[in-house]
Amino acid sequence: MPDLKQEIQRRRTFAIISHPDAGKTTLTEKLLLYGGAIQQAGSVKGKATARHAVSDWMELEKQRGISITSSVMQFEYEGYCINILDTPGHQDFSEDTYRTLMAADSAVMVIDAAKGIEPQTRKLFKICAMRNIPIFTFINKLDREARSPYDLMEELETEFGIGTYPMNWPIGCGSDFNGVYDREQGRILAFNEFHRGQSKIQAIQCSLDDTETLDELIGEKLRGILTDDIELLDGAGYEFDIEQVRQGKLSPVFFGSALNNFGVEPFLEHFLKMTMPPLPRLSGEDVVDPFDPHFSAFVFKIQANMNKAHRDRIAFMRICSGKFERDKEYFHVQGGKALRLAQPQQLMADDRAIIDEAYAGDIIGVFDPGIFSIGDTLCDKAQRVIFEGIPTFAPEHFSAIERTDTMKRKQFEKGIEQIAQEGAIQIFHEPFTGVEEVIVGVVGVLQLEVLEYRLKNEYGVDIRRRDLSYEHVRWIVGDDVKPSDLNLTSDTKWVQDFKGRNLLLFTNPWNITWALEKNPGLELMEFSRN
Ligand code: G4P
């Protein structure tokens, strides 16, 4: 019988975030290879999904397994049990991408050394920063021409307002890439033709004073640059402070090349040492200790099955405390009911298996007959835990939709409501207009296509869709504000969400500034707490 404390202690649950093409899939794959979870590179399937154009998506989704298996990957490495959460990108980018970050205890940010911070990295970083989770940076593709490492770190600091601490330092880049200098151990990991793709790279113990050996290894020119760089770094006041790392204020930075499997293993080892086992979560004022033997979990993602023959959905839960056991009865707090979770599954790299038990830090998927909503809590019957809600993230694409068949009102409303409950779309209404149109907001534009497809196929409703030019939404803070009295630009729209909260839709950021300037005291929020 595994010891509860030990099992939880050895778990690490993190998300990998990046802009498409920075190397997230390649890095994930290399990490899985270390854990022996996959046998060869090219097995991580998320990429295939991500690469497909919109038109292929429906077909792919029917073979649902693809995106499900790539959602979470669990593997063992040197006694640790590691859960990697995939954050879908490209056309798959959606609210789910953000919500997945709610289930992680830390994040690894992959950055292309030639490009630096890109738009999707920016969006994802913001969500991680909101939760103050530790963020580790892997600057990738050093085997190609890259920007100066100083530049990259400065960009991270000024744009993200965090400190950075280079754990290693690159020696050249592109065709001149000779490896990295490991600052902690004072040694060199040399990169040359011989090392390409190797899983173990022999570290060469070499003091910076040993000019002869260094010249042999990396040449005189690079040796000169490296010694100057390290002197500068050591003197520049980049202090390492593990507490700052754990509070998300300081990001340890690693340079490497995922494709060449260079710098991945040292990264993994440092990462595991610096990260914590599952973090405590808040339930109201109370702190839920992950080591508390009572099971508790929250739903962070619901995935509908596109196969018409199986109208079921899968609810993904992050276990926050204790141990989950297959046949035990648990309590669904929001539904006020005790239940047994049907066919609990854990998702491995290229497989999924029904599981008998899982521990705090793990992610499980259960069949959902339509009873769960995003943010719901499950727990031992004796407890009533309610985790802090998952915020509603600001949609970035809007469309006005109405049904073409006037007879289908009920089906239309039911469909829209259910799909919104899964968290795939947000619905808004224009107050006092009496218009039958519904305004739908989504984070990823593909969700509009999916909505149209699902309404037709699952609910038999055809819709007319009119995409709108709004790109920004803000919730109005305070119930005493009368939106109709606000001074707004003519292309700003006032709408209400399903809870009757007032929001404003803007076509561009300048109109937001305008609204704030012209209406002193007006407070706007980018996220809404559910
Ligand atoms: P993503 O998941 O973040 O979207 O990125 P992915 O890993 O798919 O990598 C994007 C491209 O960058 C891939 O090339 C991949 O091989 C390449 N790449 C990843 N890491 C490195 C690296 O360290 N050095 C270099 N030079 N390239 C790297 P592709 O040609 O688009 O795909 P493929 O044909 O190689 O699969």
Side-chain angles (χ1 to χ4, degrees), residues 18-27 47 51 90 140-144 256-260:
S18 76
H19 189 82
D21 272 354
K24 180 170 66 98
T25 314
T26 313
L27 181 67
K47 197 164 151 186
R51 286 274 160 89
H90 283 284
N140 192 27
K141 305 198 187 181
L142 262 296
D143 59 318
R144 287 208 188 145
S257 165
L259 185 66
N260 291 294

Side-chain angles (χ1 to χ4, degrees), residues 208-418:
L208 288 179
D209 301 327
D210 185 353
T211 41
E212 209 174 303
T213 318
L214 272 177
D215 283 353
E216 236 171 77
L217 277 171
I218 58 176
E220 203 182 324
K221 185 172 154 232
L222 286 175
R223 188 255 302 160
I225 299 174
L226 177 68
T227 355
D228 289 352
D229 280 352
I230 300 300
E231 197 179 322
L232 197 68
L233 288 179
D234 288 349
Y238 282 111
E239 292 280 327
F240 184 77
D241 177 347
I242 189 71
E243 271 322 302
Q244 296 262 322
V245 173
R246 290 182 176 153
Q247 291 164 21
K249 293 187 182 134
L250 180 72
S251 180
V253 178
F254 301 79
F255 293 85
S257 165
L259 185 66
N260 291 294
N261 205 1
F262 186 84
V264 177
E265 195 181 26
F267 162 73
L268 179 61
E269 282 175 356
H270 278 293
F271 171 81
L272 291 171
K273 263 191 258 154
M274 283 188 235
T275 45
M276 304 279 284
L279 300 177
R281 304 244 167 189
L282 283 178
S283 163
E285 302 277 284
D286 302 329
V287 176
V288 178
D289 178 4
F291 295 94
D292 181 332
H294 295 101
F295 166 80
S296 69
F298 70 90
V299 176
F300 67 93
K301 171 170 166 168
I302 293 175
Q303 198 155 37
N305 198 326
M306 300 286 283
N307 185 339
K308 265 172 90 182
H310 307 277
R311 272 267 188 105
D312 45 35
R313 315 188 295 185
I314 292 182
F316 289 85
M317 306 183 185
R318 149 81 201 226
I319 304 180
C320 298
S321 65
K323 175 181 174 182
F324 166 82
E325 289 170 80
R326 171 136 80 126
D327 289 319
K328 222 168 146 182
E329 204 167 67
Y330 292 112
F331 189 71
H332 174 212
V333 178
Q334 285 76 4
K337 275 199 183 116
L339 45 85
R340 275 195 182 78
L341 298 173
Q343 301 194 33
Q345 308 176 47
Q346 202 149 37
L347 308 149
M348 305 294 178
D350 38 15
D351 204 6
R352 45 179 157 152
I354 303 278
I355 47 146
D356 292 323
E357 54 187 43
Y359 295 87
D362 288 343
I363 311 295
I364 54 172
V366 300
F367 277 104
D368 169 23
I371 53 174
F372 297 127
S373 294
I374 301 283
D376 280 6
T377 308
L378 275 108
C379 53
D380 271 1
K381 282 191 282 181
Q383 287 181 315
R384 291 290 182 277
V385 176
I386 296 190
F387 289 107
E388 270 189 334
I390 293 190
T392 300
F393 299 101
E396 290 164 27
H397 305 275
F398 298 86
S399 197
I401 62 165
E402 60 181 329
R403 60 190 192 280
T404 50
D405 182 347
T406 47
M407 305 295 287
K408 299 258 173 99
R409 185 194 177 108
K410 265 206 178 128
Q411 291 94 316
F412 176 71
E413 281 174 0
K414 186 171 166 221
I416 293 269
E417 218 167 88
Q418 286 195 346

